[in-house]
Amino acid sequence: MAPARDRRTGFSRRRQYSTFFGYVLAVAGAVVGAALLVASVFNPPAFSAARMGVATLTAPVASVIDTLADAAASVPAAIGSWFRVHGENTALRAEVKRSRALLTAARTIAYDNRRLRALLAVRDRTPEAVATARLVGSTASSGRRFALLNAGRFQGVRPGMPVRGPNGLVGRVLETGPIAARVLLVTDPESLVPVRRTRDGMPAIAAGRGDGRVDIRSVNATNVRFATGDMFVTSGTGGLYAPGVPVAQVESAGADSVVAIPYAAPDSLDFALVERPFMPMPPSPPARPAAP
């Protein structure tokens, strides 16, 4: 049987009351909207006061709803953070354990080093500073690499003295004048600096390339592997440069000979420190007079 087309409320009280209150609310909403429209046009201050009053009443409710929404949205992020922090905590614990073992080994080596030095009566020498001066210029257009130092013989600067900057070794004094000195940079092709690798102490030679970089060459070994980022410092061999001064860092991995970037760039240096040689050669004994 087909449904009846008559959809009137009939004798249902609930449906009658629902329809009546729906009409009442629709009419009331239309009246309130019209009143607000008229107030906004003819009396803006009153409309603004009413709007702020409604905002004052609804602001706490909106704040509570916003807080609840943020709390609900933060639950998945908190769960993910818990798992991530748990993994990071495990990794950090393992790293601390490895670092503790390395620290223990380093302390043992330092203790043995001090004991052996005491047994052998090895004396450590700290190089003395001679002068602090400004680097006023450096060559960049030719194959040679020199820098001009604003200090000379009057300030105690002599040929052969090492020159270093805040970040590492710059070079050595080649020539001196009364108030200026010429510095041979570590990047010059004639510069050779004995160095060692910081992670294992492997000896090497830092030779200038003439293009702002240096070649790191292995000494007395073949098939030596260099890793990217290997750090090299002066070894103290030869007695000119004090040990432990940063020289260069390997640019890319290789074997036997690799290219490295010096730590001290003369173009970016304002001041440099001139030091005495680490272990200067003792003076020659005076010649004995010839026998009559």
Tab-separated table of all heavy atoms in Angstrom, residues 135 137-140 146 185 264-270:
chain	number	residue	atom	x	y	z
A	135	LEU	N	98.083	41.514	10.373
A	135	LEU	CA	98.416	41.106	9.007
A	135	LEU	C	97.787	42.112	8.052
A	135	LEU	O	96.558	42.184	7.928
A	135	LEU	CB	97.886	39.695	8.720
A	135	LEU	CG	98.635	38.541	9.389
A	135	LEU	CD1	97.901	37.234	9.151
A	135	LEU	CD2	100.049	38.446	8.856
A	137	GLY	N	98.333	42.434	4.726
A	137	GLY	CA	98.162	42.068	3.329
A	137	GLY	C	98.662	40.667	3.083
A	137	GLY	O	99.480	40.131	3.832
A	138	SER	N	98.141	40.049	2.021
A	138	SER	CA	98.575	38.706	1.630
A	138	SER	C	98.426	38.579	0.127
A	138	SER	O	97.590	39.234	-0.497
A	138	SER	CB	97.729	37.631	2.331
A	138	SER	OG	96.360	37.761	1.980
A	139	THR	N	99.274	37.754	-0.484
A	139	THR	CA	99.233	37.543	-1.922
A	139	THR	C	98.171	36.495	-2.241
A	139	THR	O	98.037	35.500	-1.550
A	139	THR	CB	100.598	37.052	-2.437
A	139	THR	OG1	100.928	35.839	-1.745
A	139	THR	CG2	101.672	38.092	-2.178
A	140	ALA	N	97.432	36.747	-3.305
A	140	ALA	CA	96.392	35.808	-3.706
A	140	ALA	C	96.336	35.607	-5.213
A	140	ALA	O	95.568	34.790	-5.689
A	140	ALA	CB	95.027	36.289	-3.213
A	146	PHE	N	102.411	34.676	0.444
A	146	PHE	CA	103.086	35.429	1.492
A	146	PHE	C	102.072	36.350	2.158
A	146	PHE	O	101.016	36.657	1.602
A	146	PHE	CB	104.242	36.265	0.933
A	146	PHE	CG	105.317	35.454	0.267
A	146	PHE	CD1	105.381	35.375	-1.110
A	146	PHE	CD2	106.271	34.784	1.017
A	146	PHE	CE1	106.366	34.635	-1.737
A	146	PHE	CE2	107.255	34.037	0.408
A	146	PHE	CZ	107.311	33.958	-0.979
A	185	LEU	N	103.323	31.607	4.200
A	185	LEU	CA	102.106	30.948	4.647
A	185	LEU	C	102.214	29.433	4.479
A	185	LEU	O	102.992	28.933	3.654
A	185	LEU	CB	100.897	31.479	3.865
A	185	LEU	CG	100.663	32.993	3.949
A	185	LEU	CD1	99.460	33.372	3.104
A	185	LEU	CD2	100.452	33.428	5.396
A	264	ALA	N	93.507	28.472	9.545
A	264	ALA	CA	93.763	29.913	9.609
A	264	ALA	C	93.836	30.460	8.188
A	264	ALA	O	94.761	30.137	7.443
A	264	ALA	CB	95.057	30.202	10.361
A	265	ALA	N	92.858	31.278	7.812
A	265	ALA	CA	92.849	31.930	6.499
A	265	ALA	C	93.402	33.346	6.667
A	265	ALA	O	92.803	34.162	7.387
A	265	ALA	CB	91.437	31.975	5.930
A	266	PRO	N	94.532	33.671	6.037
A	266	PRO	CA	95.120	35.007	6.235
A	266	PRO	C	94.197	36.142	5.838
A	266	PRO	O	94.254	37.228	6.421
A	266	PRO	CB	96.379	34.970	5.349
A	266	PRO	CG	96.666	33.522	5.150
A	266	PRO	CD	95.350	32.828	5.156
A	267	ASP	N	93.324	35.915	4.854
A	267	ASP	CA	92.432	36.987	4.416
A	267	ASP	C	91.413	37.374	5.477
A	267	ASP	O	90.891	38.487	5.446
A	267	ASP	CB	91.695	36.557	3.139
A	267	ASP	CG	92.658	36.333	1.978
A	267	ASP	OD1	93.762	36.909	2.026
A	267	ASP	OD2	92.314	35.592	1.051
A	268	SER	N	91.123	36.476	6.398
A	268	SER	CA	90.126	36.760	7.426
A	268	SER	C	90.743	37.079	8.780
A	268	SER	O	90.012	37.259	9.748
A	268	SER	CB	89.184	35.553	7.578
A	268	SER	OG	89.908	34.408	7.981
A	269	LEU	N	92.077	37.149	8.864
A	269	LEU	CA	92.746	37.410	10.134
A	269	LEU	C	92.980	38.903	10.318
A	269	LEU	O	93.415	39.592	9.397
A	269	LEU	CB	94.083	36.673	10.208
A	269	LEU	CG	94.026	35.148	10.347
A	269	LEU	CD1	95.426	34.573	10.344
A	269	LEU	CD2	93.302	34.747	11.611
A	270	ASP	N	92.703	39.377	11.512
A	270	ASP	CA	93.021	40.759	11.862
A	270	ASP	C	94.382	40.837	12.561
A	270	ASP	O	95.174	41.739	12.273
A	270	ASP	CB	91.941	41.337	12.778
A	270	ASP	CG	90.622	41.528	12.044
A	270	ASP	OD1	90.662	41.705	10.820
A	270	ASP	OD2	89.574	41.465	12.700
